Amino acid sequence: MQAKEVEVRKRIPPLHVVILILFTWAAFVWGYVTRVGSGTKYWVITGAWLPWQYLLLIAALLGKRGKVIDKTLLVAMMFALGIVAAKWYFFCGTSEVNFISNLAGSVSAALSIGVWPPAASQFVRDLIPSWMVVWDTAAAVRYYRGGGDPIWGPMVAPIVTWSLIFITLALQGMVLTWALLGPEFWEVERLPFPITIPSRFVVNGVYTKDPSLFGDLFFNARKYRIFWISAIVGFLINLPYVISQILPVPWGVFGPYGMIAIEMWVPNIVGIVQSVFPNAVWIVCRVGLVNILVFMLAPFEVATTVLVWIIGLGWIYPAIATWLGLIPAGAGPWWRGPIPLATLNPTSANLGLGLIVLFLLRRRIREFISSVRVGGEVNGIPARVLLALLLLGILVFLGIWSAAGLDPFTNFLVWLLFTLTSIGGAYYYAQLLWYGAHCSGYTLWRPVYSVSSAMGLLPAAPTPGHRNAAVFGWYVATMGTCVGPFESNSMYNPSILVSTYSLGAGTESDMRRLFYYVLIVLVFLAPFALSFDAWFNSHVGISNTSQGGMDMHSWNPASAAVNLGVRSITWSAPGIPLGHCAAWQLGWAIFILLCHFITARFPMLGYFLNPVGVATAGIATLWAGWINPIIGLIAKYLLVRIYGAKRAYDVIVEVVSGLAFGFGLLYLVLGAYVFFAMSIPTIAAFWR
């Protein structure tokens, strides 16, 4: 205990701070340049392309020579790489949404809104302040089309504003994670955190408890034979896909990382299922070896509930409703019938999970308040410091949007729902897949709009010149789309931060230092990245990069500010009256909360009403699918029968870790190809 206390109190070396800041900045520039010039490979290589596998190999080789990299610093460096690489970086080190995507969905739209033609910009020009967006036409055109040095004058204030928005999100997310969510999920709930299982396994295999065995995973293949056999399998599965991205060859039984669309195996799968269950949905899915193994890691109750609700609500219910004449044949059950399935969306599902987490946290919140009163600590960090950072983050964040023109009540309600859904998303990520907690902004605005319009704060009908409505639309669209800063695809969100907490706790890192290290990365990244983005695009033009499609066209958040209450209420509008949609969303959230209490009182019902399994219906049906839990259940049952529960779980963990390790190895090669063959030539061609 005394040795552990000494470790917790280890001071932060100034050199570590300098290393982290410079490493973070370098990783961002490297990842940014790679992605924005990648063209058709925009979702193949999404940022920095150094998988953590190589980082740990370097650490193992250096450690064998007596030069051990501080483990906590290494975990923080993995986080710095991950936020500019992919949200599932901790799994296999490869592509997905990241901080570069977050910029496109918010800051880039703010810096380029001035290029909108008068027919559109007239609806918002005097409503969104110039310290939040760039209305100066010359500066916006320079950013949008390129041509030379930035016109900094009109850009400075928006860059400062959005930097503060990101920093305040970092303060909120970090405190929620280190003070409440992380300890509760890891220590009390003992959730599996599938997203960090591979990186935890490898870090622990390198930083062994016995110093003489340092790097053992890389130098003792016999001991880790299951891992290395699985790694070879993962490498071979992904090899054809990687080759097909470099050479024009139609190779590969699987898609990337062992995934394949079920319709590739059964082309007429939708027609087959709907011939038996008319109007059935949630049929198409991604069959993935990793997804199957994640269901094997999850409790039986999660997999059975997912299966019951996808088939029961997605197949059987629409068929019965169609036979009864409640849904016209071929019309689909999304907005028709007794249950409009489109309302079972990320907002409603993750709001329900967030409410469950609030209930679970009731004791820990009391303990935290007590620690604040007596001057106690959480994870070695003074509770009063944590509370001060949290309040600072919340108040400054709310203050920015109030100053922009949003009324205090609506401002608080949006913040509250975003925060609760983010907490629910973190709970989901900690138990199952990392796909189901995002894109909440597309539907989160609906209950807020219903309440605020009923109170007379937002217009019930389009009202030109309504500043509150325009700022509200801009807020929910920039902050909460699939790439928004305030939802679970954001690198500043508790979903990602809680995963980072699990990596630190699962590798016995110094959690006090890791808190400050991760916070340093987030705080110093934002202003640097936003300034670099403005400088870079002024020379190249964002319309000439791969980012242009996300912020200027199909994902353009500016259109929401125009359409919500200013010109027409059409942005992401539901197919039923807005109030009815909001009621269904809140009702589904409450039902998921009730599932928690029901299964706590009657555990056997957990096989049908597990809250995470219920939440999966409607938000992750493509990735969770119906076939993955079926295969996962059968395989897990057989392994448990053969080896017993404990040994079966350990084997699955080692197999998952090895597969993920192998999946990511060639990402370095693919990244180098995209960087040198596509990104650099593209940028050089447009640079002015």
Side-chain angles (χ1 to χ4, degrees):
M1 176 62 70
Q2 188 174 8
K4 184 176 181 180
E5 183 69 17
V6 170
E7 171 63 19
V8 168
R9 294 299 179 186
K10 184 176 180 181
R11 74 181 189 88
I12 298 174
L15 180 60
H16 284 191
V17 175
V18 174
I19 289 173
L20 274 176
I21 293 173
L22 296 179
F23 184 81
T24 300
W25 288 351
F28 170 77
V29 172
W30 170 31
Y32 187 93
V33 170
T34 301
R35 191 172 199 195
V36 302
S38 59
T40 58
K41 305 297 183 184
Y42 185 72
W43 288 107
V44 175
I45 299 294
T46 53
W49 34 275
L50 178 64
W52 53 262
Q53 292 89 320
Y54 295 98
L55 203 61
L56 285 163
L57 175 60
I58 293 169
L61 293 172
L62 290 174
K64 277 298 183 181
R65 290 165 174 76
K67 300 177 181 179
V68 178
I69 300 175
D70 180 83
K71 179 168 61 177
T72 304
L73 175 63
L74 184 74
V75 170
M77 293 172 70
M78 290 172 64
F79 172 76
L81 275 173
I83 60 177
V84 294
K87 71 176 182 182
W88 73 334
Y89 181 82
F90 291 146
F91 188 78
C92 60
T94 58
S95 59
E96 242 287 354
V97 171
N98 58 29
F99 176 70
I100 301 168
S101 310
N102 301 154
L103 291 186
S106 56
V107 181
S108 296
L111 298 185
S112 56
I113 193 173
V115 303
W116 270 55
S121 63
Q122 63 175 319
F123 293 102
V124 290
R125 177 170 290 278
D126 296 324
L127 305 178
I128 302 174
S130 59
W131 49 264
M132 181 169 275
V133 300
V134 174
W135 286 120
D136 183 89
T137 303
V141 169
R142 177 65 55 85
Y143 179 86
Y144 183 61
R145 302 194 186 283
D149 293 332
I151 302 175
W152 286 112
M155 289 186 172
V156 170
I159 289 173
V160 171
T161 298
W162 283 97
S163 295
L164 286 174
I165 287 174
F166 276 102
I167 290 171
T168 55
L169 290 176
L171 296 178
Q172 296 174 58
M174 287 297 294
V175 175
L176 287 174
T177 296
W178 254 254
L180 300 173
L181 303 177
E184 184 69 21
F185 292 174
W186 183 261
E187 299 167 11
V188 179
E189 297 295 314
R190 297 186 179 277
L191 302 180
F193 290 94
I195 196 170
T196 61
I197 280 177
S199 47
R200 275 186 275 146
F201 185 90
V202 177
V203 170
N204 288 329
V206 172
Y207 288 84
T208 54
K209 295 185 181 297
D210 183 351
S212 65
L213 299 177
F214 190 91
D216 201 34
L217 181 137
F218 286 101
F219 307 118
N220 191 345
R222 183 178 181 84
K223 177 180 177 181
Y224 294 95
R225 58 185 177 276
I226 295 177
F227 171 87
W228 284 110
I229 291 172
S230 301
I232 293 171
V233 171
F235 177 90
L236 293 175
I237 287 176
N238 210 35
L239 178 61
Y241 168 76
V242 172
I243 293 175
S244 71
Q245 295 301 311
I246 299 175
L247 301 175
V249 291
W251 291 359
V253 176
F254 296 100
Y257 321 116
M259 295 282 185
I260 188 168
I262 192 170
E263 61 269 25
M264 292 183 65
W265 282 351
V266 187
N268 194 33
I269 184 67
V270 174
I272 293 172
V273 173
Q274 289 186 345
S275 67
V276 180
F277 302 100
N279 275 324
V281 294
W282 302 336
I283 301 166
V284 172
C285 62
R286 298 292 177 265
V287 184
L289 184 56
V290 169
N291 295 0
I292 292 168
L293 290 167
V294 168
F295 276 111
M296 293 173 68
L297 289 167
F300 279 111
E301 295 89 336
V302 174
T304 55
T305 301
V306 170
L307 193 58
V308 165
W309 281 82
I310 286 181
I311 292 180
L313 196 59
W315 297 14
I316 297 175
Y317 153 71
I320 293 175
T322 303
W323 294 329
L324 293 176
L326 301 175
I327 302 176
W334 301 116
W335 298 112
R336 296 172 182 266
I339 305 174
L341 296 186
T343 62
L344 315 184
N345 50 48
T347 297
S348 51
N350 289 298
L351 178 59
L353 295 178
L355 294 174
I356 291 173
V357 174
L358 280 188
F359 177 77
L360 296 175
L361 287 174
R362 62 196 187 282
R363 178 185 59 82
R364 191 169 293 277
I365 292 173
R366 290 196 300 267
E367 291 176 352
F368 178 70
I369 294 172
S370 297
S371 295
V372 171
R373 288 174 177 170
V374 302
E377 297 179 338
V378 180
N379 276 312
I381 308 161
R384 290 173 180 172
V385 170
L386 291 170
L387 180 61
L389 292 175
L390 178 62
L391 292 177
L392 179 64
I394 294 173
L395 293 176
V396 174
F397 181 84
L398 293 176
I400 289 172
W401 290 102
S402 290
L406 190 60
D407 72 90
F409 176 81
T410 304
N411 189 5
F412 176 78
L413 188 56
V414 177
W415 170 84
L416 180 63
L417 287 187
F418 264 130
T419 301
L420 287 175
T421 54
S422 295
I423 290 172
Y427 191 57
Y428 189 90
Y429 279 25
Q431 297 189 66
L432 203 60
L433 301 166
W434 36 92
Y435 303 110
H438 51 267
C439 305
S440 56
Y442 289 125
T443 51
L444 182 144
W445 69 272
R446 296 171 182 171
V448 178
Y449 204 102
S450 298
V451 173
S452 289
S453 62
M455 296 176 64
L457 300 172
L458 292 172
T463 306
H466 201 296
R467 185 182 183 193
N468 201 33
V471 174
F472 172 74
W474 180 257
Y475 180 178
V476 295
T478 54
M479 298 300 293
T481 62
C482 282
V483 291
F486 205 167
E487 57 88 50
S488 294
N489 266 343
S490 169
M491 303 300 107
Y492 284 65
N493 188 276
S495 298
I496 302 301
L497 298 178
V498 167
S499 300
T500 306
Y501 185 98
S502 75
L503 178 59
T507 57
E508 298 184 359
S509 299
D510 181 340
M511 297 304 289
R512 173 181 171 272
R513 284 195 294 129
L514 186 60
F515 172 83
Y516 290 113
Y517 287 172
V518 172
L519 191 57
I520 286 168
V521 169
L522 293 172
V523 169
F524 279 87
L525 172 62
F528 173 83
L530 271 59
S531 301
F532 179 86
D533 173 82
W535 171 80
F536 179 90
N537 283 309
S538 293
H539 285 281
V540 174
I542 193 169
S543 62
N544 297 319
T545 72
S546 303
Q547 294 280 82
M550 298 187 73
D551 62 269
M552 294 306 299
H553 302 294
S554 59
W555 297 48
N556 196 333
S559 64
V562 173
N563 286 339
L564 271 178
V566 179
R567 190 172 58 190
S568 60
I569 304 176
T570 58
W571 185 77
S572 188
I576 57 178
L578 192 59
H580 295 178
C581 179
W584 271 105
Q585 288 180 275
L586 296 176
W588 186 242
I590 293 171
F591 175 73
I592 290 173
L593 174 63
L594 291 176
C595 286
H596 171 78
F597 296 117
I598 293 170
T599 54
R601 180 68 179 84
F602 305 103
M604 283 300 297
L605 294 179
Y607 288 96
F608 312 97
L609 294 174
N610 178 275
V612 170
V614 174
T616 300
I619 66 172
T621 53
L622 178 67
W623 299 102
W626 51 272
I627 195 167
N628 293 312
I630 289 177
I631 299 173
L633 281 169
I634 295 171
K636 182 176 181 177
Y637 175 78
L638 294 175
L639 279 176
V640 170
R641 293 279 296 183
I642 295 171
Y643 293 110
K646 176 64 170 64
R647 178 56 182 159
Y649 186 85
D650 291 342
V651 169
I652 297 168
V653 164
E654 195 161 358
V655 170
V656 169
S657 301
L659 283 170
F661 189 95
F663 284 152
L665 288 177
L666 288 173
Y667 194 67
L668 180 70
V669 176
L670 190 53
Y673 163 74
V674 170
F675 182 77
F676 290 108
M678 303 183 72
S679 300
I680 294 300
T682 298
I683 292 167
F686 288 106
W687 187 270
R688 298 293 183 268

